[in-house]
Amino acid sequence: MVKKVEYPVDQVRHWLEPGPVVLLSSHWQGEHNIMTLGWHTILAFSPSLVGCMIDAGNHSYEMIRQSGECVINLPTVDMAETVARIGNCDGDDLDKFSRFNLTPEASQRVAAPGIAECHASFECRLHDDALASRYNFLIFEVVHARVKPEPAWPQTLHYAGEGVFRTDGEVLDVSHLFTKVS
């Protein structure tokens, strides 16, 4: 058995990133923006609540606070370079849809566009911002969802820090071990 060794506490994100990296699209006063986001978590199933940590210094933060809306888009592994580039530029002076050849997709329930190239788009409305001023943590309710039917399990990106992404591995089905709730 390999023994565990000390690890820098400021680097635990390497192991604990909560889920796939997403592209958050927003709209406010005629302007669209896209940001790369890795810090999000599912909070409830019904209503469908997702918590996101969005740095207040990010251009998207103010757009989302003002509009109260965004779209959480799920990119796939083939978009890794685009995801990284979006995360390393500022939307203050740049139309990221045009710059990265992404197609804005009309949403059904919010003004922010989805991203057609992404596997899924989850339209969100701001549900609770009680933790925003202290932690930049916003809670959204998913009000409409669109997902491509294939592949059933797309390969997504998981950020490990310092410009490194991991990808999903094989799917393990152990559903027979779970109790069915009616």
Side-chain angles (χ1 to χ4, degrees):
M1 179 183 312
V2 176
K3 185 177 177 182
K4 295 176 192 161
V5 297
E6 298 287 325
Y7 197 80
V9 295
D10 65 343
Q11 309 261 328
V12 298
R13 69 181 283 180
H14 176 82
W15 303 106
L16 295 178
E17 282 294 330
V21 171
V22 297
L23 294 174
L24 206 68
S25 51
S26 54
H27 177 84
W28 176 246
Q29 295 183 334
E31 179 185 351
H32 296 320
N33 196 38
I34 306 170
M35 68 171 282
T36 300
L37 179 73
W39 294 352
H40 55 82
T41 186
I42 298 297
L43 297 171
F45 300 121
S46 184
S48 179
L49 300 180
V50 179
C52 299
M53 201 301 288
I54 305 171
D55 189 273
N58 191 299
H59 182 62
S60 292
Y61 180 83
E62 192 59 30
M63 292 178 69
I64 292 167
R65 290 298 306 264
Q66 293 296 324
S67 68
E69 302 176 339
C70 66
V71 178
I72 299 172
N73 299 278
L74 182 65
T76 50
V77 69
D78 59 309
M79 296 179 70
E81 288 188 15
T82 299
V83 168
R85 286 188 173 113
I86 288 171
N88 284 289
C89 67
D90 192 348
D92 283 345
D93 54 4
L94 173 64
D95 176 349
K96 292 184 186 180
F97 278 97
S98 293
R99 172 68 176 91
F100 299 106
N101 297 314
L102 296 173
T103 309
E105 186 174 58
S107 293
Q108 301 297 308
R109 309 262 317 264
V110 300
I115 301 171
E117 290 76 9
C118 288
H119 184 76
S121 296
F122 307 113
E123 299 174 25
C124 300
R125 288 207 179 101
L126 186 59
H127 179 78
D128 188 339
D129 65 355
L131 298 173
S133 62
R134 186 163 183 182
Y135 297 108
N136 296 326
F137 192 76
L138 302 172
I139 299 172
F140 296 99
E141 179 179 357
V142 179
V143 296
H144 191 262
R146 292 183 315 273
V147 178
K148 293 179 181 176
E150 294 178 358
W153 296 104
Q155 206 172 16
T156 57
L157 302 165
H158 300 263
Y159 193 58
E162 300 178 1
V164 175
F165 291 103
R166 292 181 292 113
T167 60
D168 292 324
E170 68 181 276
V171 175
L172 303 175
D173 184 350
V174 294
S175 58
H176 65 281
L177 301 174
F178 283 69
T179 304
K180 304 288 185 210
V181 178
S182 53

